[in-house]
Amino acid sequence: METTFNCDLCGTQHPITEENEMDGLLICTDCMMEETEVCQHCGTRIWRGDNAGDAVTPLCQSCYDMYYTRCSDCNEILYESDAYYMYDDEDTPYCYHCAENYRRCSGIHAYSYKPKPIFRGEGMRFFGVELEIDEGGELEANAKELLKLANSEADEFIYCKSDGSLSEGFEIVSHPFTLDYHINEFPWDEILHRAIELGYLSHSTDTAGLHIHVNRTAFGATEEVQDRSIARILYFMEANWNELLRFSRRTQYQMNRWAARYGYKEHPADILDHAKKGYGGGRYSCVNLQNYNTIEFRIFRGTLKYNTFIATLQMVNHICDVALVFSDEEIRNLSWSSFVADIPKETYPELIRYLKERRLYINQPMETEEEI
């Protein structure tokens, strides 16, 4: 019985216990360690020279082709699903850190751009804003002017994205902030004012909307608990559609196109069930439920008027409050006048003012300032 063998790579004799087979060759343990490695994804042993990955992430060619790519800047190996793609080159992948460096030099990203959300403010309920502005040009220089007011070298608070529904503009997207942070910490007034100076419009176009995302976890820890409040939100929207249409400043035609109704049902759960079965406008529904982490209020027309902007956030917050606190029976019995009468006047002065301007506040009209 043989007790030794000759390694086909180094030609040295070794004990038979160190014999390894690789592609028909007999190699010693030392050569195996030096000349081969294991694909991190599937576990197949490969020749070191055939490594399609790198020293940290060795990969066979098949696994690399199916599941991985490389950052075009730093050459880091990435799962394809973790790669980032940019506005002016949607075929070039970047890792998160290189994408962030790219972002700081870029004004307008592709519509598909979606960075990791950065939450700011103390609380459980966060609002992400998408404000569409138009008629001033889809210009990188203008976007950078607005970004300069909000972001720093180290921190991103807003970013801008291209939007095919706009003629000559883009959308301003915020990371998720609490209502207090939006009102008291973030310079929305300066941003809206500068957008006007740059020649943009929002309300005064047929294209621009103001969309507000609310995190689903604000309504409970489980999907079942969240759905109860979300169902009451949908019921409130249907039961008070005429008032909300006036509040939104949209026409019924615009609603049908961008923020369709689900349809009135007697019980909140029935409307949610109806929505989950695909009725309504899909993602173009009054409350878009197709995002995994948020629900999106889509009914509002865009605005560059600060009071209207803040009032809209406050309205969404108050609707969420009611949906969380009220029972199904209480929400069914809630009238519009009772709903607005319950708004805390000292806390939400912008909302009270806006409701009066829109003739929606308990017979207390107020002269309306021009929307922009």
Side-chain angles (χ1 to χ4, degrees), residues 9 22-23 31-39 44-55 58-61 70:
L9 293 184
M22 183 75 177
D23 289 347
C31 285
M32 185 183 71
M33 298 299 293
E34 291 176 5
E35 302 297 334
T36 73
E37 48 197 335
V38 175
C39 173
T44 301
R45 186 166 290 278
I46 57 176
W47 295 106
R48 194 174 295 274
D50 294 334
N51 179 10
D54 57 21
L59 297 167
C60 69
Q61 191 65 53
R70 289 179 182 271

Side-chain angles (χ1 to χ4, degrees), residues 110-216:
Y111 181 74
S112 59
Y113 178 70
K114 189 175 177 62
K116 183 178 180 180
I118 303 170
F119 293 81
R120 290 186 170 90
E122 298 295 326
M124 295 295 293
R125 189 182 302 163
F126 295 86
F127 301 90
V129 168
E130 297 174 359
L131 173 61
E132 297 170 345
I133 60 177
D134 211 347
E135 305 298 336
E138 190 177 355
L139 302 174
E140 290 270 332
N142 287 353
K144 288 179 179 180
E145 281 282 318
L146 302 179
L147 294 171
K148 190 186 304 182
L149 294 172
N151 299 338
S152 67
E153 286 295 322
D155 293 309
E156 179 181 81
F157 295 82
I158 63 171
Y159 51 95
C160 299
K161 292 170 44 172
S162 178
D163 191 319
S165 67
L166 303 175
S167 301
E168 290 291 336
F170 50 87
E171 63 176 331
I172 303 167
V173 185
S174 81
H175 282 274
F177 309 152
T178 61
L179 179 62
D180 180 73
Y181 199 95
H182 275 290
I183 296 174
N184 297 312
E185 301 291 335
F186 192 71
W188 278 117
D189 200 2
E190 294 178 56
I191 292 167
L192 302 183
H193 181 70
R194 184 60 182 142
I196 296 169
E197 291 180 336
L198 291 169
Y200 288 96
L201 301 172
S202 193
H203 170 88
S204 301
T205 71
D206 294 326
T207 54
L210 170 57
H211 306 156
I212 300 174
H213 290 257
V214 183
N215 57 307
R216 287 178 178 265

Side-chain angles (χ1 to χ4, degrees), residues 2-21 24-29 31:
E2 294 184 4
T3 59
T4 62
F5 78 102
N6 288 327
C7 176
D8 289 332
L9 293 184
C10 66
T12 306
Q13 195 173 65
H14 296 271
I16 198 70
T17 54
E18 294 184 12
E19 182 183 273
N20 301 277
E21 194 274 334
L25 300 177
L26 299 179
I27 61 176
C28 66
T29 300
C31 285

Side-chain angles (χ1 to χ4, degrees), residues 52-54 57 59 64 68-71 74-79:
D54 57 21
T57 311
L59 297 167
Y64 177 82
Y68 292 84
T69 187
R70 289 179 182 271
C71 174
C74 70
N75 212 38
E76 178 186 349
I77 294 291
L78 306 167
Y79 270 116

